[in-house]
C-alpha cells in the first residue's frame, strides 16, 4: 500500500472543505445589498445595452429609467464590446463573459436578475480558493502552506466583498494568481540556473494579456513583478547567486564535475515573456485614447491643497490591508457594536502581528524558503510603492478604491499563510504535518475564527457596505412624501444615471405602496458643480417643474447646481431629518397645488 495515498486524499478532502466554506460565504445573501452605480454599468453593458437610451432633461418614469436593464435578445458579444468602447473605460473580457453567463439564468420579471449578475464573480471567487492552493504549492512546495493559503482566501473578508460585487475583480484575482504562479516558476528556474520552459513563457504571456483585457489596473501587477525581478537581478549582480548540490548553496567552482555546474542565468526567456506581454497590452492604447468621458475618473483626483488628502491615502491603504484578514461589524448602526468591534480588531492585530513577523523572519532565514519569500515580499512592496507613487506624484488617488488592491492581494494572503505555517510547526519545516506548539496553534486557530466572523460580517452587510445606500434613502422618501414624487439630479456622466437607477431599483423592489409612479429627472450639465443661478441643470429643473401637475414633492438628490426659482414650493426644514445617507445628499421641496398660484411666500406653510 502506498503510504502517500491516504495523505493525498486527506489534502484533497481538506481543500474541498475550504471550497465549500468559501462558496457558502460568497453565495449567502448574495442579493441582500442594493446594487450601486458600478454594478449597473456591468449589468447594462453586459446586456449589450446603452446608458444613452435614458432620456435627459425631462421627467421620465421608473420603467424608462430601468429600461437598459432589460435583456436584449438581439445583442451579442460584439455589441457588448461596441457599447464599452463608446461609453465606458474598461476592457471587454469580463463583460463578454458576463453576457454569456447571464443568458444561462431566467430574468427577474422584465429585468435582468441581480443574483445572476453577482453569481459569476461569486463563482470566480470560489475558483480562486483552489487557485490559491496551487500557488501556495508552487511557491513553497508545501501542503501546509497551500492549505493555509486556500483557507485564508476562503475566509478573507476582502475576497468575499469582491466576490459579491457584480464586477470584474474576482476574474482579475484569478489572473493575478496565475501570473504570480508563472512568476514564482520563473524565479525557481533563475535560482536553479535552468532555462524557463517555452510553455511557461507562452502561458505567462497569455495570462498577462487576459489580465489586461479584464482590468487595466492589472498592469500594476505586471509592473510590480518586473520591479521585483529587476531587484533580484541587481542582487545577483552585486552579491552573486551560488545554487549548489541538493539545494545547498555551493560555489560553482566547488562542483566535483564541472559539467554539472549550473549554467549562467538565462534571462532571455523572461525578457521574451515581458515583450509578449507588452505587445498584448499595447493593443489597448488606442482604446484608452478613444475619447471616453474622462470625468468618470475625476473622483480619484488628489486635492493637493488639502492636508487631509495627503494623509488619507495612508489610512485608506491600511484599511485595505486589515480587511484582507479581518473585518468585524464596524459599520453597524449601533455605536456600541462599532466601538467593541474596533477594539477587538485592534487588539487582535496587536497580538498577532509579532507572531506573523517572527514567522516571516524564519522564512527568510531558511534556505528552502528564502528566495520565494524575498521575491513575493518584493512584489508586494513594489505594488504598494506604485500605488503611492501614482497617488502622490500623478495625483490619482488609487487608494480611495479598496477594490483596486486586488492587484497584489493574493501575494499578501500567501505570505501570511506561509508565516502562519511556520509559527505553527514544531520543526519549522513546511513539508510535513507535525504537532503544533500550543502558542502557534492558538494563533492559527484565532486567525481562522476571526476569518469566519469577518465573513459573516460582510455577508450580513455589517462591513464593506456599498458606497451608495438607496435602501436607506427610499424609506425616508416614503415616510416624508404623501404627494407624487419627482426625484431630480444633475447629470454629468453615466455615474449619475447609475445613482438614480439604484433608487429606482430599490423603489421597484420595496414592498410599499406609499410611492406610486415616481418620476425622475436627469438634468444634464457639463460642469460637475455649478453655483450660478443660470446653471443648465437649474433651468431644466424649473422648466420641468412648470410642466408637472401639483401638488408635487421634489427630491433633489446629489443635485450639484444652485436652486433659486421653484414657484410655490418650499423646502422641508432640513433640521428635522437627516439630509445625507451613504452616497446621497438630498433636499425635499413641497410644491403646492395650483390653487396657491399667485400667493406670496408668507402664505406658504
Amino acid at each position: 500500500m502506498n503510504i502517500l495515498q491516504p495523505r493525498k486524499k486527506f489534502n484533497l478532502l481538506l481543500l474541498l472543505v475550504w471550497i465549500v466554506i468559501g462558496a457558502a460565504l460568497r453565495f449567502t445573501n448574495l442579493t441582500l445589498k442594493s446594487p450601486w452605480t458600478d454594478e449597473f454599468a456591468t449589468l447594462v453593458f453586459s446586456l449589450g445595452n446603452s446608458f444613452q437610451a435614458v432620456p435627459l432633461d425631462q421627467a421620465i418614469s421608473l420603467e424608462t429609467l430601468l429600461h437598459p436593464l432589460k435583456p436584449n435578445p438581439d445583442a451579442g458579444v460584439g455589441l457588448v464590446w461596441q457599447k464599452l468602447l463608446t461609453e465606458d473605460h474598461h476592457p471587454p473580457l469580463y463583460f463578454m463573459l458576463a453576457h454569456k453567463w447571464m443568458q444561462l439564468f431566467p430574468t427577474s420579471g422584465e429585468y435582468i436578475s441581480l443574483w445572476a449578475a453577482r453569481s459569476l464573480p461569486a463563482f470566480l471567487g470560489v475558483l480562486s480558493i483552489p487557485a490559491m492552493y496551487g500557488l501556495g504549492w508552487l511557491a513553497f512546495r508545501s501542503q501546509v502552506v497551500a492549505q493555509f493559503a486556500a483557507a485564508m482566501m476562503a475566509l478573507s473578508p476582502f475576497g468575499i466583498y469582491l466576490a459579491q460585487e457584480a464586477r470584474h475583480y474576482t476574474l482579475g484575482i484569478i489572473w493575478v494568481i496565475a501570473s504570480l504562479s508563472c512568476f514564482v516558476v520563473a524565479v525557481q528556474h533563475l535560482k536553479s540556473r535552468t532555462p524557463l520552459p517555452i510553455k511557461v513563457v507562452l502561458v505567462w504571456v497569455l495570462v498577462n494579456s487576459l489580465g489586461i483585457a479584464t482590468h487595466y489596473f492589472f498592469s500594476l501587477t505586471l509592473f510590480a513583478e518586473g520591479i521585483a525581478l529587476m531587484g533580484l537581478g541587481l542582487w545577483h549582480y552585486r552579491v552573486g547567486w551560488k545554487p549548489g548540490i541538493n539545494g545547498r548553496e555551493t560555489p560553482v567552482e566547488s562542483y566535483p564535475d564541472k559539467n554539472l555546474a549550473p549554467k549562467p542565468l538565462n534571462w532571455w526567456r523572461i525578457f521574451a515573456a515581458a515583450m509578449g506581454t507588452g505587445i498584448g497590452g499595447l493593443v489597448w492604447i488606442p482604446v484608452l485614447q478613444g475619447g471616453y468621458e474622462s470625468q468618470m475618473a475625476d473622483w480619484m483626483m488628489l486635492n493637493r491643497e488639502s492636508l487631509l488628502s495627503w494623509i488619507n491615502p495612508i489610512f485608506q491603504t491600511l484599511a485595505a490591508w486589515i480587511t484582507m484578514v479581518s473585518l468585524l461589524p464596524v459599520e453597524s448602526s449601533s455605536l456600541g457594536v462599532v466601538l467593541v468591534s474596533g477594539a477587538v480588531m485592534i487588539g487582535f492585530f496587536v497580538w498577532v502581528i509579532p507572531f506573523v513577523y517572527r514567522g516571516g523572519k524564519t522564512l527568510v532565514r531558511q534556505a528552502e524558503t528564502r528566495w520565494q519569500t524575498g521575491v513575493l515580499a518584493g512584489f508586494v512592496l513594489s505594488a504598494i510603492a506604485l500605488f503611492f507613487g501614482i497617488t502622490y506624484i500623478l495625483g490619482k488617488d488609487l487608494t480611495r478604491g479598496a477594490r483596486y488592491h486586488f492587484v497584489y492581494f493574493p501575494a499578501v494572503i500567501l505570505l501570511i499563510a506561509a508565516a502562519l505555517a511556520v509559527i505553527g510547526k514544531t520543526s519549522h519545516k513546511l513539508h510535513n504535518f507535525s504537532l503544533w506548539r500550543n502558542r502557534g496553534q492558538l494563533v492559527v486557530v484565532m486567525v481562522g475564527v476571526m476569518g469566519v466572523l469577518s465573513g459573516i460580517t460582510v455577508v450580513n452587510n455589517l462591513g464593506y457596505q456599498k458606497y451608495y445606500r438607496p435602501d436607506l434613502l427610499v424609506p425616508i422618501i416614503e415616510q416624508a412624501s404623501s404627494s407624487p414624487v419627482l426625484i431630480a439630479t444633475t447629470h454629468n456622466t453615466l455615474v449619475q444615471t447609475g445613482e438614480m437607477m439604484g433608487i429606482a431599483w430599490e423603489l421597484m423592489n420595496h414592498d410599499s405602496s406609499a410611492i406610486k409612479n415616481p418620476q425622475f429627472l436627469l438634468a444634464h450639465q457639463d460642469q460637475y458643480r455649478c453655483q450660478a443661478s443660470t446653471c443648465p441643470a437649474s433651468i431644466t429643473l424649473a422648466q420641468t417643474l412648470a410642466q408637472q401637475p401639483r401638488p408635487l414633492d421634489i427630491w433633489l438628490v446629489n443635485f450639484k447646481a444652485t436652486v433659486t426659482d421653484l414657484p410655490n414650493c418650499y423646502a422641508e426644514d432640513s433640521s428635522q431629518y437627516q439630509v445625507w445617507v451613504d452616497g446621497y445628499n438630498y433636499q425635499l421641496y413641497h410644491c403646492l397645488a395650483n390653487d396657491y398660484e399667485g400667493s406670496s411666500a408668507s402664505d406658504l406653510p
Side-chain angles (χ1 to χ4, degrees):
M1 178 180 177
N2 187 351
I3 194 172
L4 297 178
Q5 195 66 22
R7 180 174 294 178
K8 182 178 180 180
K9 291 182 178 180
F10 172 77
N11 288 326
L12 292 176
L13 180 61
L14 189 57
L15 176 60
L16 181 61
V17 169
W18 307 135
I19 293 173
V20 170
I21 292 174
L25 289 171
R26 283 155 178 78
F27 282 93
T28 296
N29 293 335
L30 193 55
T31 60
L32 175 65
K33 303 176 185 179
S34 300
W36 67 295
T37 183
D38 279 19
E39 290 185 290
F40 282 118
T42 302
L43 296 175
V44 171
F45 292 129
S46 297
L47 290 171
N49 293 334
S50 169
F51 280 91
Q52 295 176 358
V54 177
L56 304 177
D57 299 330
Q58 60 181 280
I60 59 175
S61 66
L62 180 148
E63 291 76 16
T64 301
L65 178 57
L66 295 182
H67 186 268
L69 300 177
K70 293 183 177 181
N72 181 359
D74 299 324
V77 292
L79 187 59
V80 172
W81 194 344
Q82 177 186 338
K83 297 302 181 183
L84 281 168
L85 289 176
T86 55
E87 298 184 38
D88 198 49
H89 58 290
H90 288 101
L93 180 60
Y94 177 83
F95 297 86
M96 292 179 172
L97 183 61
H99 176 80
K100 293 296 185 181
W101 176 272
M102 290 190 292
Q103 290 178 342
L104 302 175
F105 300 90
T107 59
S108 178
E110 296 182 89
Y111 303 101
I112 191 64
S113 166
L114 180 61
W115 191 95
R118 286 180 175 170
S119 63
L120 175 58
F123 174 71
L124 294 170
V126 175
L127 290 184
S128 70
I129 298 169
M132 200 69 211
Y133 172 89
L135 176 59
W137 168 252
L138 276 175
F140 291 92
R141 301 298 176 180
S142 164
Q143 285 290 344
V144 183
V145 174
Q147 294 287 355
F148 277 24
M152 292 196 64
M153 178 60 79
L155 299 175
S156 169
F158 181 77
I160 296 169
Y161 146 67
L162 293 181
Q164 292 197 323
E165 288 248 307
R167 296 295 282 168
H168 35 203
Y169 299 107
T170 49
L171 181 58
I173 287 172
I174 294 289
W175 301 134
V176 172
I177 294 173
S179 183
L180 285 175
S181 297
C182 297
F183 172 72
V184 298
V185 169
V187 170
Q188 288 166 357
H189 280 276
L190 286 176
K191 181 175 181 289
S192 61
R193 296 181 180 244
T194 56
L196 185 64
I198 293 295
K199 62 181 180 181
V200 175
V201 174
L202 295 177
V203 170
W204 203 358
V205 171
L206 177 62
V207 165
N208 293 344
S209 300
L210 292 174
I212 298 172
T214 299
H215 200 295
Y216 293 129
F217 284 179
F218 178 83
S219 59
L220 297 177
T221 299
L222 306 180
F223 281 116
E225 288 179 351
I227 295 171
L229 284 171
M230 286 190 291
L232 183 65
L234 180 62
W235 181 90
H236 164 255
Y237 176 77
R238 296 186 60 183
V239 178
W241 197 339
K242 300 175 182 179
I245 305 171
N246 297 326
R248 297 178 180 177
E249 296 185 0
T250 306
V252 173
E253 58 273 13
S254 301
Y255 273 74
D257 187 344
K258 300 301 181 182
N259 294 325
L260 297 178
K263 299 177 181 179
L265 290 180
N266 187 347
W267 290 83
W268 289 108
R269 292 187 180 180
I270 293 179
F271 180 73
M275 291 296 294
T277 297
I279 295 172
L282 288 175
V283 299
W284 298 106
I285 290 182
V287 177
L288 285 170
Q289 297 174 339
Y292 67 87
E293 295 177 291
S294 60
Q295 302 99 314
M296 292 170 62
D298 286 348
W299 65 275
M300 290 193 299
M301 292 298 296
L302 183 71
N303 182 5
R304 299 183 184 274
E305 297 179 358
S306 170
L307 177 62
L308 193 60
S309 294
W310 288 91
I311 299 174
N312 278 343
I314 298 173
F315 291 98
Q316 288 162 176
T317 302
L318 286 173
W321 294 347
I322 289 170
T323 57
M324 291 180 184
V325 178
S326 168
L327 179 60
L328 295 182
V330 293
E331 292 183 280
S332 169
S333 58
S334 169
L335 179 60
V337 172
V338 171
L339 294 177
V340 171
S341 299
V344 172
M345 288 177 63
I346 292 173
F348 170 76
F349 279 101
V350 169
W351 176 67
V352 81
I353 285 176
F355 290 99
V356 175
Y357 175 74
R358 192 181 309 161
K361 287 180 63 176
T362 302
L363 289 170
V364 173
R365 285 198 300 264
Q366 293 179 351
E368 62 185 23
T369 57
R370 179 178 305 144
W371 308 109
Q372 50 270 54
T373 303
V375 295
L376 286 170
F379 165 79
V380 171
L381 292 175
S382 299
I384 294 170
L386 287 170
F387 268 70
F388 284 121
I390 293 172
T391 296
Y392 288 116
I393 298 175
L394 300 183
K396 295 286 188 179
D397 186 3
L398 299 187
T399 68
R400 291 190 65 183
R403 56 197 182 276
Y404 298 144
H405 295 273
F406 81 93
V407 301
Y408 64 92
F409 163 59
V412 174
I413 291 295
L414 179 55
L415 286 171
I416 296 175
L420 290 175
V422 167
I423 64 176
K425 306 303 292 181
T426 55
S427 62
H428 291 313
K429 296 294 182 181
L430 300 181
H431 302 302
N432 49 57
F433 287 94
S434 59
L435 294 176
W436 291 341
R437 285 178 290 179
N438 291 336
R439 186 172 295 182
Q441 181 181 18
L442 179 61
V443 171
V444 173
V445 169
M446 289 305 300
V447 170
V449 169
M450 182 62 75
V452 172
L453 295 176
S454 300
I456 294 173
T457 295
V458 174
V459 302
N460 285 287
N461 204 21
L462 297 173
Y464 264 128
Q465 296 176 348
K466 301 297 184 186
Y467 299 97
Y468 295 85
R469 295 291 305 276
D471 58 307
L472 298 180
L473 177 59
V474 166
I476 296 173
I477 295 176
E478 292 177 334
Q479 182 178 3
S481 289
S482 57
S483 300
V485 166
L486 173 67
I487 302 172
T489 191
T490 48
H491 176 274
N492 185 244
T493 67
L494 61 83
V495 171
Q496 289 75 44
T497 307
E499 292 172 2
M500 292 300 101
M501 280 182 166
I503 299 173
W505 183 277
E506 191 65 27
L507 283 168
M508 180 183 67
N509 291 281
H510 202 261
D511 186 18
S512 173
S513 59
I515 305 298
K516 294 182 178 180
N517 301 319
Q519 299 284 302
F520 295 84
L521 171 65
L522 284 78
H524 183 75
Q525 64 182 24
D526 292 329
Q527 298 170 278
Y528 180 66
R529 292 180 180 272
C530 181
Q531 302 298 329
S533 60
T534 57
C535 295
S538 303
I539 296 173
T540 299
L541 175 64
Q543 293 174 344
T544 304
L545 178 60
Q547 301 170 5
Q548 297 298 306
R550 308 287 188 99
L552 179 70
D553 281 352
I554 299 179
W555 288 83
L556 301 183
V557 179
N558 294 345
F559 202 85
K560 310 296 183 182
T562 300
V563 178
T564 57
D565 187 18
L566 297 179
N568 295 331
C569 301
Y570 68 95
E572 181 79 20
D573 184 3
S574 60
S575 64
Q576 298 181 6
Y577 63 93
Q578 182 181 0
V579 296
W580 178 86
V581 296
D582 294 18
Y584 296 103
N585 291 287
Y586 57 90
Q587 175 64 61
L588 169 61
Y589 286 84
H590 297 288
C591 296
L592 305 180
N594 293 330
D595 294 342
Y596 284 86
E597 191 168 350
S599 300
S600 65
S602 61
D603 297 326
L604 299 178

